[in-house]
Amino acid sequence: MNTDSPSCLVQKLSHYVALDEHSLDSISRLERDERDFSKNDEIYQGGDENTYLYVVKRGWLYSYADMKDGRRQITEIHHPGDIVGFPDIAFDQRTSVLRAAEDVRLCPFPKKDLDEVFSQAPQLAALLFALSVRNQVILTDFLRAVGRMSARERIAYLLLDLRSRLRIANKSMTTTFRLPLNQTEISDVLGLTNVYVSRSFAALEKDGMIRRSNGHVEILEEEKLAKICDFVDRHVGLDTSWFPPSNG
Amino acid sequence: MNTDSPSCLVQKLSHYVALDEHSLDSISRLERDERDFSKNDEIYQGGDENTYLYVVKRGWLYSYADMKDGRRQITEIHHPGDIVGFPDIAFDQRTSVLRAAEDVRLCPFPKKDLDEVFSQAPQLAALLFALSVRNQVILTDFLRAVGRMSARERIAYLLLDLRSRLRIANKSMTTTFRLPLNQTEISDVLGLTNVYVSRSFAALEKDGMIRRSNGHVEILEEEKLAKICDFVDRHVGLDTSWFPPSNG
DNA sequence: CGGAACCTTGACGCGTCTCAAATCCAGTGG
DNA sequence: CCACTGGATTTGAGACGCGTCAAGGTTCCG
């Protein structure tokens, strides 16, 4: 049972639109169950049957895909309030692996529950749709980073993007945040090696753009960082003008 | 007016699910208008107001994002039957530029028309949702290619991906297809330079994996190509089991 | 105090980029 | 039917960013 403080999913979704009654009903149904996983647990694997999605209640996770020879690409980082698994709902098998970057708590819910969302809660359906396609834009920005930026620029991009995302859920956040990913994981996000992540991180720090200490990062020169990677914050706003009228 | 043969959007969507009456109604409303554009026309720019989406009737287009210093990343290639612009519906401004790779015909429709889809045609809403999140998986595969593969492997990946996509709309397709993109464009898709695309293309051809002639590509060794880039075809199937019951 | 995981540093190699020139090719006009 | 043209592709030479491999340091925890 969900005994936590007000659901962080509701909190995140309410950031964008006033949820009507049908939407709130549907959400609470998605958060009935809870399950804990430990750091480095793999919640599912590519090829697994694909019947559940997960709301993240606590902790960071990431999705990755790897090649037979071991090369790995992390394709998404998941934070509390995120729904994990949407990209796979179009398939009956998993297309990626979900792994806990630290100890986490998840709310699994069956994918089949979505039919009710579409037929009973069109507002929520539209919102989930909007967030899902927005993710595509964010992924697209990342593709540009990986395809066209130097190592330094990619790290700058990642840090600014993480900060923007975390700020949605935690408005009081300052310029410092916790980064529970090791450099090998970061390198797999950015298409680099752990060694070069280390060097580039050190270079950014030496230039006074950032500061690091025990798992935390501080953004010192936000504007300079944003400039070297053409950063645009995609997380703040959402155009809801085309949503169906709310019928709560 | 749409005087063409049966809409290729209907054709593509029907590939995945039997469309009910509400869905067909909604689709025909999306295809009321037609407009032609010439090769290299930019249909919209990043930052433009964002009120229309487009159904592609004829020709290839692509979306790209560029950095201030001119580096460019093509983020999606659009074919007939595709709907262009979904990723942007969450924003009120364009996040990318849409350019015609050759002469094209589009059906623009207002984004606002989608509210009716969500409230009146839940089946179509679910289908569009599914296709949209599937795109995210496809983009994710691409990210892995750009982040973790060599130039040869990336080209192999692109060719196989294009072939799979084109085969959906044209089932009679053989191993040869038309590729109306120049090598600079291909390099901007794959995060390479035009020079290195030329070299890698030539290498694949020399190894007997492909053959090229006047704007066409032939896949000679499909299995070898698939092996070097761990290719998985994401375009064939779609899990529709979670869709709301059709009420046509 | 010992060990494991992680980060840092150095030396070297390689894949891709850069720049530039040459060649090919389709379309155009004479 | 052929010269002309501009875009696209190919080819070469040299430079450089990042990868690879390996050793050494650091931090944390039992």
Side-chain angles (χ1 to χ4, degrees), chain B residues 142-177:
Chain B
F142 239 93
L143 181 63
R144 187 188 57 146
V146 171
R148 288 304 186 199
M149 292 185 199
S150 72
R152 278 173 64 109
E153 292 164 345
R154 292 185 213 183
I155 290 178
Y157 191 86
L158 176 62
L159 295 178
L160 292 176
D161 187 66
L162 286 173
R163 182 161 108 92
S164 296
R165 287 183 64 180
L166 295 170
R167 208 161 27 183
I168 296 291
N170 176 4
K171 314 218 158 135
S172 65
M173 215 184 77
T174 63
T175 53
T176 304
F177 62 92

Side-chain angles (χ1 to χ4, degrees), chain B residues 18 22 27 39 67 70 73 79 89 95 107 129 135 144 192 201 212 214 217 221 227 242 244:
Chain B
H22 291 125
I27 292 175
K39 176 169 177 165
M67 300 180 63
Q73 177 71 46
H79 299 126
I89 62 173
T95 63
C107 300
F129 190 121
N135 255 356
R144 187 188 57 146
L192 298 165
F201 240 129
R212 292 175 294 168
N214 63 343
V217 177
E221 299 268 12
K227 191 162 180 199
W242 54 277

Side-chain angles (χ1 to χ4, degrees), chain A residues 141-174:
Chain A
D141 286 343
F142 239 94
L143 181 63
R144 187 187 59 147
V146 171
R148 288 303 185 201
M149 293 184 197
S150 72
R152 278 173 65 110
E153 292 164 345
R154 292 185 213 183
I155 290 179
Y157 191 87
L158 176 63
L159 295 177
L160 293 176
D161 186 67
L162 286 174
R163 183 161 108 92
S164 295
R165 288 182 63 180
L166 295 170
R167 207 160 28 184
I168 296 290
N170 176 5
K171 315 220 155 128
S172 65
M173 215 184 77
T174 63

Side-chain angles (χ1 to χ4, degrees), chain A residues 91-103:
Chain A
F91 302 91
D92 38 53
Q93 298 195 338
R94 299 293 181 190
T95 63
S96 61
V97 188
L98 177 64
R99 176 194 283 240
E102 55 185 336
D103 294 350

Side-chain angles (χ1 to χ4, degrees), chain B residues 102-161:
Chain B
E102 55 184 337
D103 293 350
V104 301
R105 171 166 299 165
L106 303 180
C107 300
F109 66 91
K111 150 159 120 171
K112 185 66 184 143
D113 285 4
L114 287 176
D115 71 343
E116 214 181 76
V117 173
F118 276 91
S119 46
Q120 307 296 324
Q123 185 209 30
L124 180 58
L127 180 55
L128 293 180
F129 190 121
L131 289 175
S132 171
V133 295
R134 190 184 63 170
N135 255 356
Q136 194 168 332
V137 172
I138 291 166
L139 198 53
T140 280
D141 286 342
F142 239 93
L143 181 63
R144 187 188 57 146
V146 171
R148 288 304 186 199
M149 292 185 199
S150 72
R152 278 173 64 109
E153 292 164 345
R154 292 185 213 183
I155 290 178
Y157 191 86
L158 176 62
L159 295 178
L160 292 176
D161 187 66

